[in-house]
Amino acid sequence: FVISTRLKQWYQRRVREYNNIPHSSSMDNMMNMSNILFLVFGLGLVTCYDIKLVAPYETGHNGADPCLRICGGTTGKGSTPWKLYGDEGIYVDVDMKKCEFRSDLTPIVTTVLAGDGHHWVTTGGSEVYHPRYSGFRNYIHMRKDMGNIRNFYKADKWRIDWLALGFTC
């Protein structure tokens, strides 16, 4: 995403004034790190925000589509409502309604299985089933020779972290 030039210049002036530092190229390098830290920590306090993409979604369009939204979330560390699926599997239905995507278009969804351990011996963490504007499903499988999935998913606080790209208008 793009920070406006004026905001960046204002921020740089304020840091220089506060630290009594003259303008220099080394200051610009420090400002780049400051910008990154500002974005990481500043935006981490925000619960919901839109990011405008600067590349066209379709061939022949100039610039980003104003209706394109990136939305992300997690099923929650230690609070994911997993359901058992046979002897070697679990699944979870993920709700994306708060993303407010258009109901007539399916967003692009990417997922990852995360947790405190043992998820590396599973399959399915990045496979999305039944994607729709309002949500999707992930199935996780663990071979019996690797252990019993029922001993790991709760203890290791498995969750699904996800990002979706879709249209809002």
Side-chain angles (χ1 to χ4, degrees):
F1 43 93
V2 179
I3 300 173
S4 78
T5 304
R6 287 184 180 176
L7 177 61
K8 183 177 178 181
Q9 290 170 347
W10 175 85
Y11 180 67
Q12 289 175 343
R13 278 194 311 271
R14 294 299 168 257
V15 170
R16 283 188 192 105
E17 290 170 6
Y18 178 77
N19 294 314
N20 199 20
I21 300 172
H23 180 76
S24 70
S25 61
S26 63
M27 179 61 189
D28 287 340
N29 290 338
M30 189 168 92
M31 291 309 303
N32 288 335
M33 181 57 81
S34 296
N35 288 341
I36 292 168
L37 292 174
F38 169 75
L39 291 171
V40 169
F41 293 113
L43 294 179
L45 302 174
V46 176
T47 58
C48 182
Y49 50 88
D50 281 339
I51 298 173
K52 185 173 181 178
L53 301 179
V54 294
Y57 185 67
E58 294 179 344
T59 304
H61 286 122
N62 294 329
D65 192 314
C67 297
L68 201 55
R69 174 178 286 171
I70 296 175
C71 186
T74 182
T75 58
K77 186 175 183 177
S79 61
T80 299
W82 294 107
K83 295 175 180 79
L84 296 176
Y85 187 75
D87 292 337
E88 300 177 7
I90 54 176
Y91 73 93
V92 65
D93 290 313
V94 179
D95 184 356
M96 296 192 314
K97 290 183 193 111
K98 290 184 180 179
C99 295
E100 300 175 343
F101 291 130
R102 282 180 47 173
S103 61
D104 61 332
L105 297 172
T106 303
I108 298 167
V109 180
T110 61
T111 64
V112 63
L113 175 65
D116 292 342
H118 298 99
H119 50 290
W120 67 276
V121 296
T122 66
T123 57
S126 61
E127 282 69 56
V128 175
Y129 287 84
H130 316 297
R132 56 199 177 283
Y133 77 96
S134 59
F136 61 91
R137 179 178 283 185
N138 267 102
Y139 291 93
I140 308 299
H141 176 263
M142 178 184 270
R143 293 189 340 238
K144 284 185 181 180
D145 63 324
M146 299 305 287
N148 187 331
I149 197 167
R150 296 174 189 209
N151 296 332
F152 299 110
Y153 74 94
K154 285 182 185 176
D156 288 331
K157 300 175 184 170
W158 290 356
R159 68 185 185 276
I160 296 293
D161 295 337
W162 57 271
L163 283 174
L165 175 69
F167 287 94
T168 58
C169 56

